[in-house]
PDB file of all heavy atoms in Angstrom:
ATOM      1  N   LYS A   1       1.195  12.018  10.950  1.00  0.00           N
ATOM      2  CA  LYS A   1       2.480  12.430  10.384  1.00  0.00           C
ATOM      3  C   LYS A   1       3.299  11.186  10.022  1.00  0.00           C
ATOM      4  O   LYS A   1       3.250  10.180  10.720  1.00  0.00           O
ATOM      5  CB  LYS A   1       3.239  13.306  11.379  1.00  0.00           C
ATOM      6  CG  LYS A   1       2.617  14.687  11.529  1.00  0.00           C
ATOM      7  CD  LYS A   1       3.524  15.638  12.286  1.00  0.00           C
ATOM      8  CE  LYS A   1       2.910  17.041  12.336  1.00  0.00           C
ATOM      9  NZ  LYS A   1       3.763  17.981  13.108  1.00  0.00           N
ATOM     10  N   PRO A   2       4.054  11.247   8.925  1.00  0.00           N
ATOM     11  CA  PRO A   2       4.817  10.069   8.495  1.00  0.00           C
ATOM     12  C   PRO A   2       5.960   9.746   9.449  1.00  0.00           C
ATOM     13  O   PRO A   2       6.452  10.619  10.175  1.00  0.00           O
ATOM     14  CB  PRO A   2       5.354  10.484   7.123  1.00  0.00           C
ATOM     15  CG  PRO A   2       5.400  11.981   7.173  1.00  0.00           C
ATOM     16  CD  PRO A   2       4.250  12.397   8.029  1.00  0.00           C
ATOM     17  N   ILE A   3       6.372   8.483   9.428  1.00  0.00           N
ATOM     18  CA  ILE A   3       7.564   8.073  10.184  1.00  0.00           C
ATOM     19  C   ILE A   3       8.695   7.684   9.230  1.00  0.00           C
ATOM     20  O   ILE A   3       9.819   7.437   9.653  1.00  0.00           O
ATOM     21  CB  ILE A   3       7.246   6.916  11.154  1.00  0.00           C
ATOM     22  CG1 ILE A   3       6.702   5.692  10.402  1.00  0.00           C
ATOM     23  CG2 ILE A   3       6.252   7.363  12.208  1.00  0.00           C
ATOM     24  CD1 ILE A   3       6.470   4.475  11.306  1.00  0.00           C
ATOM     25  N   LEU A   4       8.374   7.623   7.929  1.00  0.00           N
ATOM     26  CA  LEU A   4       9.375   7.397   6.887  1.00  0.00           C
ATOM     27  C   LEU A   4       9.310   8.559   5.907  1.00  0.00           C
ATOM     28  O   LEU A   4       8.254   9.172   5.719  1.00  0.00           O
ATOM     29  CB  LEU A   4       9.091   6.086   6.129  1.00  0.00           C
ATOM     30  CG  LEU A   4       9.116   4.791   6.936  1.00  0.00           C
ATOM     31  CD1 LEU A   4       8.666   3.636   6.060  1.00  0.00           C
ATOM     32  CD2 LEU A   4      10.495   4.527   7.509  1.00  0.00           C
ATOM     33  N   PHE A   5      10.426   8.856   5.261  1.00  0.00           N
ATOM     34  CA  PHE A   5      10.490   9.991   4.349  1.00  0.00           C
ATOM     35  C   PHE A   5      11.196   9.584   3.060  1.00  0.00           C
ATOM     36  O   PHE A   5      12.049   8.705   3.065  1.00  0.00           O
ATOM     37  CB  PHE A   5      11.223  11.170   5.008  1.00  0.00           C
ATOM     38  CG  PHE A   5      10.581  11.619   6.287  1.00  0.00           C
ATOM     39  CD1 PHE A   5      10.966  11.075   7.501  1.00  0.00           C
ATOM     40  CD2 PHE A   5       9.566  12.561   6.265  1.00  0.00           C
ATOM     41  CE1 PHE A   5      10.359  11.471   8.691  1.00  0.00           C
ATOM     42  CE2 PHE A   5       8.950  12.963   7.440  1.00  0.00           C
ATOM     43  CZ  PHE A   5       9.347  12.412   8.656  1.00  0.00           C
ATOM     44  N   GLY A   6      10.787  10.223   1.948  1.00  0.00           N
ATOM     45  CA  GLY A   6      11.504   9.929   0.720  1.00  0.00           C
ATOM     46  C   GLY A   6      10.682   9.889  -0.542  1.00  0.00           C
ATOM     47  O   GLY A   6      11.239   9.641  -1.610  1.00  0.00           O
ATOM     48  N   GLY A   7       9.402  10.121  -0.494  1.00  0.00           N
ATOM     49  CA  GLY A   7       8.629  10.069  -1.725  1.00  0.00           C
ATOM     50  C   GLY A   7       7.199  10.506  -1.509  1.00  0.00           C
ATOM     51  O   GLY A   7       6.750  10.713  -0.389  1.00  0.00           O
ATOM     52  N   HIS A   8       6.450  10.574  -2.616  1.00  0.00           N
ATOM     53  CA  HIS A   8       5.079  11.083  -2.562  1.00  0.00           C
ATOM     54  C   HIS A   8       4.047   9.962  -2.465  1.00  0.00           C
ATOM     55  O   HIS A   8       2.851  10.236  -2.382  1.00  0.00           O
ATOM     56  CB  HIS A   8       4.801  11.899  -3.828  1.00  0.00           C
ATOM     57  CG  HIS A   8       4.847  11.079  -5.079  1.00  0.00           C
ATOM     58  ND1 HIS A   8       6.016  10.823  -5.747  1.00  0.00           N
ATOM     59  CD2 HIS A   8       3.870  10.429  -5.760  1.00  0.00           C
ATOM     60  CE1 HIS A   8       5.753  10.051  -6.787  1.00  0.00           C
ATOM     61  NE2 HIS A   8       4.463   9.797  -6.823  1.00  0.00           N
ATOM     62  N   GLN A   9       4.492   8.708  -2.489  1.00  0.00           N
ATOM     63  CA  GLN A   9       3.537   7.599  -2.541  1.00  0.00           C
ATOM     64  C   GLN A   9       2.643   7.555  -1.302  1.00  0.00           C
ATOM     65  O   GLN A   9       3.028   7.999  -0.223  1.00  0.00           O
ATOM     66  CB  GLN A   9       4.288   6.260  -2.666  1.00  0.00           C
ATOM     67  CG  GLN A   9       5.077   6.075  -3.942  1.00  0.00           C
ATOM     68  CD  GLN A   9       6.514   6.539  -3.835  1.00  0.00           C
ATOM     69  OE1 GLN A   9       6.892   7.271  -2.909  1.00  0.00           O
ATOM     70  NE2 GLN A   9       7.333   6.132  -4.792  1.00  0.00           N
ATOM     71  N   GLU A  10       1.449   6.974  -1.485  1.00  0.00           N
ATOM     72  CA  GLU A  10       0.493   6.768  -0.384  1.00  0.00           C
ATOM     73  C   GLU A  10       0.270   8.054   0.416  1.00  0.00           C
ATOM     74  O   GLU A  10       0.426   8.088   1.637  1.00  0.00           O
ATOM     75  CB  GLU A  10       0.959   5.623   0.529  1.00  0.00           C
ATOM     76  CG  GLU A  10       1.097   4.284  -0.179  1.00  0.00           C
ATOM     77  CD  GLU A  10      -0.193   3.805  -0.820  1.00  0.00           C
ATOM     78  OE1 GLU A  10      -1.172   3.577  -0.085  1.00  0.00           O
ATOM     79  OE2 GLU A  10      -0.231   3.678  -2.067  1.00  0.00           O
ATOM     80  N   HIS A  11      -0.078   9.107  -0.291  1.00  0.00           N
ATOM     81  CA  HIS A  11      -0.364  10.412   0.331  1.00  0.00           C
ATOM     82  C   HIS A  11       0.831  10.941   1.120  1.00  0.00           C
ATOM     83  O   HIS A  11       0.665  11.683   2.096  1.00  0.00           O
ATOM     84  CB  HIS A  11      -1.588  10.328   1.259  1.00  0.00           C
ATOM     85  CG  HIS A  11      -2.786   9.685   0.629  1.00  0.00           C
ATOM     86  ND1 HIS A  11      -3.431  10.211  -0.467  1.00  0.00           N
ATOM     87  CD2 HIS A  11      -3.450   8.550   0.956  1.00  0.00           C
ATOM     88  CE1 HIS A  11      -4.451   9.429  -0.797  1.00  0.00           C
ATOM     89  NE2 HIS A  11      -4.476   8.418   0.038  1.00  0.00           N
ATOM     90  N   GLN A  12       2.023  10.553   0.733  1.00  0.00           N
ATOM     91  CA  GLN A  12       3.280  10.930   1.386  1.00  0.00           C
ATOM     92  C   GLN A  12       3.387  10.389   2.813  1.00  0.00           C
ATOM     93  O   GLN A  12       4.269  10.804   3.565  1.00  0.00           O
ATOM     94  CB  GLN A  12       3.472  12.450   1.392  1.00  0.00           C
ATOM     95  CG  GLN A  12       3.622  13.037  -0.018  1.00  0.00           C
ATOM     96  CD  GLN A  12       3.956  14.509  -0.009  1.00  0.00           C
ATOM     97  OE1 GLN A  12       3.327  15.302   0.693  1.00  0.00           O
ATOM     98  NE2 GLN A  12       4.948  14.890  -0.795  1.00  0.00           N
ATOM     99  N   LEU A  13       2.513   9.468   3.166  1.00  0.00           N
ATOM    100  CA  LEU A  13       2.569   8.866   4.498  1.00  0.00           C
ATOM    101  C   LEU A  13       3.376   7.576   4.507  1.00  0.00           C
ATOM    102  O   LEU A  13       3.835   7.118   5.562  1.00  0.00           O
ATOM    103  CB  LEU A  13       1.152   8.571   5.008  1.00  0.00           C
ATOM    104  CG  LEU A  13       0.345   9.787   5.432  1.00  0.00           C
ATOM    105  CD1 LEU A  13      -1.067   9.377   5.810  1.00  0.00           C
ATOM    106  CD2 LEU A  13       1.031  10.491   6.600  1.00  0.00           C
ATOM    107  N   ARG A  14       3.550   6.965   3.316  1.00  0.00           N
ATOM    108  CA  ARG A  14       4.293   5.716   3.249  1.00  0.00           C
ATOM    109  C   ARG A  14       5.123   5.752   1.961  1.00  0.00           C
ATOM    110  O   ARG A  14       4.790   5.123   0.968  1.00  0.00           O
ATOM    111  CB  ARG A  14       3.334   4.529   3.270  1.00  0.00           C
ATOM    112  CG  ARG A  14       3.930   3.261   3.834  1.00  0.00           C
ATOM    113  CD  ARG A  14       4.946   2.619   2.921  1.00  0.00           C
ATOM    114  NE  ARG A  14       5.562   1.456   3.538  1.00  0.00           N
ATOM    115  CZ  ARG A  14       6.369   0.634   2.879  1.00  0.00           C
ATOM    116  NH1 ARG A  14       6.676   0.847   1.611  1.00  0.00           N
ATOM    117  NH2 ARG A  14       6.909  -0.395   3.494  1.00  0.00           N
ATOM    118  N   PRO A  15       6.235   6.523   1.971  1.00  0.00           N
ATOM    119  CA  PRO A  15       7.034   6.662   0.756  1.00  0.00           C
ATOM    120  C   PRO A  15       7.728   5.356   0.383  1.00  0.00           C
ATOM    121  O   PRO A  15       7.938   4.480   1.215  1.00  0.00           O
ATOM    122  CB  PRO A  15       8.053   7.738   1.141  1.00  0.00           C
ATOM    123  CG  PRO A  15       8.173   7.638   2.626  1.00  0.00           C
ATOM    124  CD  PRO A  15       6.796   7.275   3.102  1.00  0.00           C
ATOM    125  N   GLY A  16       8.081   5.262  -0.891  1.00  0.00           N
ATOM    126  CA  GLY A  16       8.724   4.066  -1.415  1.00  0.00           C
ATOM    127  C   GLY A  16       7.850   3.419  -2.470  1.00  0.00           C
ATOM    128  O   GLY A  16       6.618   3.465  -2.385  1.00  0.00           O
ATOM    129  N   THR A  17       8.478   2.816  -3.457  1.00  0.00           N
ATOM    130  CA  THR A  17       7.726   2.183  -4.539  1.00  0.00           C
ATOM    131  C   THR A  17       6.850   1.058  -3.998  1.00  0.00           C
ATOM    132  O   THR A  17       7.327   0.167  -3.288  1.00  0.00           O
ATOM    133  CB  THR A  17       8.685   1.617  -5.602  1.00  0.00           C
ATOM    134  OG1 THR A  17       9.513   2.670  -6.089  1.00  0.00           O
ATOM    135  CG2 THR A  17       7.913   0.995  -6.756  1.00  0.00           C
ATOM    136  N   GLU A  18       5.577   1.098  -4.324  1.00  0.00           N
ATOM    137  CA  GLU A  18       4.634   0.095  -3.830  1.00  0.00           C
ATOM    138  C   GLU A  18       4.911  -1.271  -4.455  1.00  0.00           C
ATOM    139  O   GLU A  18       5.289  -1.366  -5.624  1.00  0.00           O
ATOM    140  CB  GLU A  18       3.192   0.511  -4.140  1.00  0.00           C
ATOM    141  CG  GLU A  18       2.769   1.824  -3.506  1.00  0.00           C
ATOM    142  CD  GLU A  18       2.949   3.018  -4.410  1.00  0.00           C
ATOM    143  OE1 GLU A  18       3.751   2.924  -5.382  1.00  0.00           O
ATOM    144  OE2 GLU A  18       2.298   4.051  -4.162  1.00  0.00           O
ATOM    145  N   SER A  19       4.681  -2.325  -3.677  1.00  0.00           N
ATOM    146  CA  SER A  19       4.829  -3.693  -4.180  1.00  0.00           C
ATOM    147  C   SER A  19       3.523  -4.105  -4.845  1.00  0.00           C
ATOM    148  O   SER A  19       2.630  -4.666  -4.207  1.00  0.00           O
ATOM    149  CB  SER A  19       5.183  -4.657  -3.049  1.00  0.00           C
ATOM    150  OG  SER A  19       5.278  -5.982  -3.552  1.00  0.00           O
ATOM    151  N   VAL A  20       3.412  -3.817  -6.116  1.00  0.00           N
ATOM    152  CA  VAL A  20       2.151  -4.058  -6.834  1.00  0.00           C
ATOM    153  C   VAL A  20       1.738  -5.536  -6.781  1.00  0.00           C
ATOM    154  O   VAL A  20       0.559  -5.832  -6.532  1.00  0.00           O
ATOM    155  CB  VAL A  20       2.250  -3.541  -8.283  1.00  0.00           C
ATOM    156  CG1 VAL A  20       0.989  -3.882  -9.066  1.00  0.00           C
ATOM    157  CG2 VAL A  20       2.481  -2.032  -8.284  1.00  0.00           C
ATOM    158  N   PRO A  21       2.649  -6.500  -7.001  1.00  0.00           N
ATOM    159  CA  PRO A  21       2.215  -7.903  -6.945  1.00  0.00           C
ATOM    160  C   PRO A  21       1.594  -8.292  -5.611  1.00  0.00           C
ATOM    161  O   PRO A  21       0.563  -8.987  -5.563  1.00  0.00           O
ATOM    162  CB  PRO A  21       3.509  -8.686  -7.211  1.00  0.00           C
ATOM    163  CG  PRO A  21       4.366  -7.742  -7.989  1.00  0.00           C
ATOM    164  CD  PRO A  21       4.066  -6.397  -7.420  1.00  0.00           C
ATOM    165  N   LEU A  22       2.182  -7.840  -4.510  1.00  0.00           N
ATOM    166  CA  LEU A  22       1.652  -8.180  -3.190  1.00  0.00           C
ATOM    167  C   LEU A  22       0.329  -7.477  -2.928  1.00  0.00           C
ATOM    168  O   LEU A  22      -0.596  -8.057  -2.353  1.00  0.00           O
ATOM    169  CB  LEU A  22       2.663  -7.826  -2.098  1.00  0.00           C
ATOM    170  CG  LEU A  22       4.030  -8.510  -2.157  1.00  0.00           C
ATOM    171  CD1 LEU A  22       4.846  -8.162  -0.918  1.00  0.00           C
ATOM    172  CD2 LEU A  22       3.903 -10.016  -2.297  1.00  0.00           C
ATOM    173  N   ILE A  23       0.242  -6.228  -3.345  1.00  0.00           N
ATOM    174  CA  ILE A  23      -0.988  -5.463  -3.142  1.00  0.00           C
ATOM    175  C   ILE A  23      -2.140  -6.070  -3.946  1.00  0.00           C
ATOM    176  O   ILE A  23      -3.259  -6.231  -3.434  1.00  0.00           O
ATOM    177  CB  ILE A  23      -0.759  -3.990  -3.531  1.00  0.00           C
ATOM    178  CG1 ILE A  23       0.140  -3.308  -2.490  1.00  0.00           C
ATOM    179  CG2 ILE A  23      -2.086  -3.241  -3.669  1.00  0.00           C
ATOM    180  CD1 ILE A  23       0.648  -1.941  -2.895  1.00  0.00           C
ATOM    181  N   VAL A  24      -1.877  -6.427  -5.184  1.00  0.00           N
ATOM    182  CA  VAL A  24      -2.913  -7.023  -6.024  1.00  0.00           C
ATOM    183  C   VAL A  24      -3.362  -8.366  -5.448  1.00  0.00           C
ATOM    184  O   VAL A  24      -4.559  -8.677  -5.402  1.00  0.00           O
ATOM    185  CB  VAL A  24      -2.413  -7.172  -7.481  1.00  0.00           C
ATOM    186  CG1 VAL A  24      -3.388  -8.002  -8.306  1.00  0.00           C
ATOM    187  CG2 VAL A  24      -2.224  -5.792  -8.113  1.00  0.00           C
ATOM    188  N   ALA A  25      -2.395  -9.171  -4.995  1.00  0.00           N
ATOM    189  CA  ALA A  25      -2.736 -10.452  -4.365  1.00  0.00           C
ATOM    190  C   ALA A  25      -3.584 -10.235  -3.118  1.00  0.00           C
ATOM    191  O   ALA A  25      -4.527 -11.004  -2.859  1.00  0.00           O
ATOM    192  CB  ALA A  25      -1.465 -11.217  -4.015  1.00  0.00           C
ATOM    193  N   PHE A  26      -3.278  -9.203  -2.347  1.00  0.00           N
ATOM    194  CA  PHE A  26      -4.064  -8.846  -1.160  1.00  0.00           C
ATOM    195  C   PHE A  26      -5.508  -8.569  -1.563  1.00  0.00           C
ATOM    196  O   PHE A  26      -6.466  -9.082  -0.964  1.00  0.00           O
ATOM    197  CB  PHE A  26      -3.421  -7.622  -0.508  1.00  0.00           C
ATOM    198  CG  PHE A  26      -3.926  -7.255   0.866  1.00  0.00           C
ATOM    199  CD1 PHE A  26      -4.825  -8.045   1.565  1.00  0.00           C
ATOM    200  CD2 PHE A  26      -3.479  -6.080   1.474  1.00  0.00           C
ATOM    201  CE1 PHE A  26      -5.274  -7.692   2.840  1.00  0.00           C
ATOM    202  CE2 PHE A  26      -3.915  -5.714   2.738  1.00  0.00           C
ATOM    203  CZ  PHE A  26      -4.820  -6.520   3.416  1.00  0.00           C
ATOM    204  N   GLY A  27      -5.683  -7.757  -2.594  1.00  0.00           N
ATOM    205  CA  GLY A  27      -7.032  -7.437  -3.049  1.00  0.00           C
ATOM    206  C   GLY A  27      -7.805  -8.656  -3.512  1.00  0.00           C
ATOM    207  O   GLY A  27      -9.001  -8.800  -3.217  1.00  0.00           O
ATOM    208  N   VAL A  28      -7.138  -9.561  -4.215  1.00  0.00           N
ATOM    209  CA  VAL A  28      -7.791 -10.783  -4.695  1.00  0.00           C
ATOM    210  C   VAL A  28      -8.205 -11.669  -3.520  1.00  0.00           C
ATOM    211  O   VAL A  28      -9.319 -12.221  -3.500  1.00  0.00           O
ATOM    212  CB  VAL A  28      -6.852 -11.546  -5.652  1.00  0.00           C
ATOM    213  CG1 VAL A  28      -7.380 -12.948  -5.934  1.00  0.00           C
ATOM    214  CG2 VAL A  28      -6.690 -10.769  -6.956  1.00  0.00           C
ATOM    215  N   ALA A  29      -7.322 -11.818  -2.533  1.00  0.00           N
ATOM    216  CA  ALA A  29      -7.640 -12.639  -1.358  1.00  0.00           C
ATOM    217  C   ALA A  29      -8.825 -12.055  -0.598  1.00  0.00           C
ATOM    218  O   ALA A  29      -9.724 -12.789  -0.161  1.00  0.00           O
ATOM    219  CB  ALA A  29      -6.418 -12.744  -0.449  1.00  0.00           C
ATOM    220  N   VAL A  30      -8.846 -10.746  -0.444  1.00  0.00           N
ATOM    221  CA  VAL A  30      -9.943 -10.084   0.266  1.00  0.00           C
ATOM    222  C   VAL A  30     -11.261 -10.276  -0.488  1.00  0.00           C
ATOM    223  O   VAL A  30     -12.297 -10.573   0.114  1.00  0.00           O
ATOM    224  CB  VAL A  30      -9.634  -8.584   0.461  1.00  0.00           C
ATOM    225  CG1 VAL A  30     -10.888  -7.821   0.900  1.00  0.00           C
ATOM    226  CG2 VAL A  30      -8.528  -8.414   1.494  1.00  0.00           C
ATOM    227  N   GLU A  31     -11.229 -10.106  -1.794  1.00  0.00           N
ATOM    228  CA  GLU A  31     -12.449 -10.297  -2.591  1.00  0.00           C
ATOM    229  C   GLU A  31     -12.982 -11.724  -2.421  1.00  0.00           C
ATOM    230  O   GLU A  31     -14.193 -11.936  -2.300  1.00  0.00           O
ATOM    231  CB  GLU A  31     -12.166 -10.014  -4.052  1.00  0.00           C
ATOM    232  CG  GLU A  31     -13.411 -10.112  -4.931  1.00  0.00           C
ATOM    233  CD  GLU A  31     -13.127  -9.834  -6.385  1.00  0.00           C
ATOM    234  OE1 GLU A  31     -12.114 -10.356  -6.909  1.00  0.00           O
ATOM    235  OE2 GLU A  31     -13.910  -9.092  -7.005  1.00  0.00           O
ATOM    236  N   LYS A  32     -12.089 -12.693  -2.373  1.00  0.00           N
ATOM    237  CA  LYS A  32     -12.495 -14.091  -2.250  1.00  0.00           C
ATOM    238  C   LYS A  32     -13.174 -14.366  -0.910  1.00  0.00           C
ATOM    239  O   LYS A  32     -14.140 -15.124  -0.821  1.00  0.00           O
ATOM    240  CB  LYS A  32     -11.275 -15.006  -2.416  1.00  0.00           C
ATOM    241  CG  LYS A  32     -11.581 -16.494  -2.392  1.00  0.00           C
ATOM    242  CD  LYS A  32     -10.321 -17.299  -2.676  1.00  0.00           C
ATOM    243  CE  LYS A  32     -10.640 -18.794  -2.775  1.00  0.00           C
ATOM    244  NZ  LYS A  32     -11.096 -19.370  -1.500  1.00  0.00           N
ATOM    245  N   LEU A  33     -12.677 -13.736   0.161  1.00  0.00           N
ATOM    246  CA  LEU A  33     -13.168 -14.036   1.507  1.00  0.00           C
ATOM    247  C   LEU A  33     -14.337 -13.164   1.951  1.00  0.00           C
ATOM    248  O   LEU A  33     -15.086 -13.547   2.848  1.00  0.00           O
ATOM    249  CB  LEU A  33     -12.035 -13.881   2.528  1.00  0.00           C
ATOM    250  CG  LEU A  33     -10.874 -14.876   2.472  1.00  0.00           C
ATOM    251  CD1 LEU A  33      -9.908 -14.590   3.602  1.00  0.00           C
ATOM    252  CD2 LEU A  33     -11.358 -16.312   2.555  1.00  0.00           C
ATOM    253  N   SER A  34     -14.491 -12.002   1.356  1.00  0.00           N
ATOM    254  CA  SER A  34     -15.414 -11.011   1.916  1.00  0.00           C
ATOM    255  C   SER A  34     -16.894 -11.364   1.735  1.00  0.00           C
ATOM    256  O   SER A  34     -17.739 -10.803   2.428  1.00  0.00           O
ATOM    257  CB  SER A  34     -15.134  -9.630   1.307  1.00  0.00           C
ATOM    258  OG  SER A  34     -15.279  -9.655  -0.098  1.00  0.00           O
ATOM    259  N   SER A  35     -17.201 -12.296   0.846  1.00  0.00           N
ATOM    260  CA  SER A  35     -18.606 -12.595   0.565  1.00  0.00           C
ATOM    261  C   SER A  35     -19.235 -13.596   1.527  1.00  0.00           C
ATOM    262  O   SER A  35     -20.463 -13.726   1.570  1.00  0.00           O
ATOM    263  CB  SER A  35     -18.757 -13.111  -0.866  1.00  0.00           C
ATOM    264  OG  SER A  35     -18.059 -14.334  -1.021  1.00  0.00           O
TER     265      SER A  35
END
């Protein structure tokens, strides 16, 4: 069950506009290290 309320983002479990720049950077860093 969510602990924050206010939007439909992230399956309604984490409402609020996502930080796309940080999320994309996270994905790039993970791709670099995972191999």
Side-chain angles (χ1 to χ4, degrees):
K1 288 192 176 178
I3 59 176
L4 299 174
F5 302 91
H8 64 275
Q9 295 91 344
E10 300 301 298
H11 310 297
Q12 295 186 312
L13 287 176
R14 207 288 176 172
T17 303
E18 299 94 340
S19 178
V20 176
L22 300 186
I23 289 169
V24 170
F26 191 6
V28 168
V30 167
E31 183 180 44
K32 184 175 185 294
L33 292 183
S34 59
S35 63

